[in-house]
Structures are given as structure tokens and as C-alpha cells.
Amino acid sequence: MIEAGMKMCSVGSPTLSCSNVVLVILVLSLGTCAHATNCTLQQNNQMQTRFTECTGKVTMAYQDSLDEGTKEGATCTLFTSLINDCGKVWEICHSQEDISKMKDMQLEALLGQYVDSGIVRLEDCPIVNEYWAA
């Protein structure tokens, strides 16, 4: 468990740490940010910081929502928030085309971590259905 109040995200079996969710997102973000040419180094760093802060907040809200609702509903909200809300900060440095690609990569990683592994089923999640329909 990570210090500073990081809770463990228990989602069925196996148990996933909240930091694993953020790590997947950060790896995708940092890998693509290296190619960001539409901003200064300072703007790029600011974008990464804002994205990291957002994913941390969303991940903690996900853990809290697991206690209150269904695993599927909480996970759908997690996916939507990470991609649509946190992904907005990418507008600082990236074109709409790049943002679309980054969101697809992010959703693919999340689907692999949660759905393909059998942790959760998301047939009723709009953001997942939009991705699968594309």
C-alpha cells in the first residue's frame, strides 16, 4: 500500500491498487507527451501535473464509489472521468487528432486491465460502447 492515504482498490479478484490505475494512465500520457510539439516545456510539465492530479482524484473517488454502488457503475464512471475529464488537459499541448488517439489508447489499456481480465463487465457503459462501435 502506498503511503499518504492511498487506499487499495479492491475490485473483485485480483485486488488492484489505486496506484495501478494511475500508473497505466500516466504511462500512456507520458509516452505521448514526449511528442507534444504544440506547447512549451513549461506548458507540457503543467499539463502532466494537472493530468496526474486529476487521475489521482478520480481514482480515489472510484474507490469511494465502490462502497456505495455497483462495481460496473463505478468502473464506467472511472473510465468516463479519466478519459473525458482528465483528458481535457491534453488540449494544452495536443491536436484533436492526437487527443482522440490518446483517448483510444487509454481506453484500450483500461479495458485490458478491467474487462479482458474478467474483473468487471461493462456492456451498459456508454463510453465503452462508443469505443466498441467505432
Side-chain angles (χ1 to χ4, degrees):
M1 182 183 292
I2 295 177
E3 296 296 321
M6 181 65 79
K7 298 179 184 177
M8 295 300 289
C9 294
S10 300
V11 183
S13 183
T15 299
L16 299 172
S17 71
C18 294
S19 59
N20 286 344
V21 174
V22 175
L23 181 60
V24 168
I25 304 305
L26 290 176
V27 167
L28 290 171
S29 175
L30 295 175
T32 54
C33 288
H35 299 96
T37 58
N38 300 336
C39 62
T40 65
L41 179 59
Q42 182 179 5
Q43 289 170 316
N44 189 51
N45 289 340
Q46 179 186 23
M47 177 189 66
Q48 290 181 22
T49 298
R50 288 176 56 195
F51 185 79
T52 301
E53 290 170 353
C54 182
T55 58
K57 289 177 186 175
V58 167
T59 303
M60 293 308 292
Y62 168 68
Q63 174 60 38
D64 292 341
S65 68
L66 285 173
D67 298 334
E68 300 169 6
T70 68
K71 179 172 46 173
E72 287 77 13
T75 305
C76 182
T77 300
L78 171 71
F79 283 23
T80 302
S81 296
L82 288 171
I83 292 167
N84 291 337
D85 298 337
C86 297
K88 285 182 183 178
V89 302
W90 293 330
E91 294 173 0
I92 295 170
C93 295
H94 295 280
S95 68
Q96 284 305 119
E97 181 180 346
D98 287 344
I99 291 169
S100 179
K101 290 177 185 176
M102 292 165 68
K103 286 181 176 185
D104 284 349
M105 287 176 25
Q106 188 175 59
L107 189 53
E108 287 173 16
L110 290 167
L111 287 169
Q113 184 176 356
Y114 288 86
V115 177
D116 295 346
S117 64
I119 293 173
V120 68
R121 296 177 57 180
L122 296 176
E123 290 87 10
D124 296 325
C125 182
I127 196 165
V128 172
N129 289 331
E130 289 171 22
Y131 173 77
W132 282 333

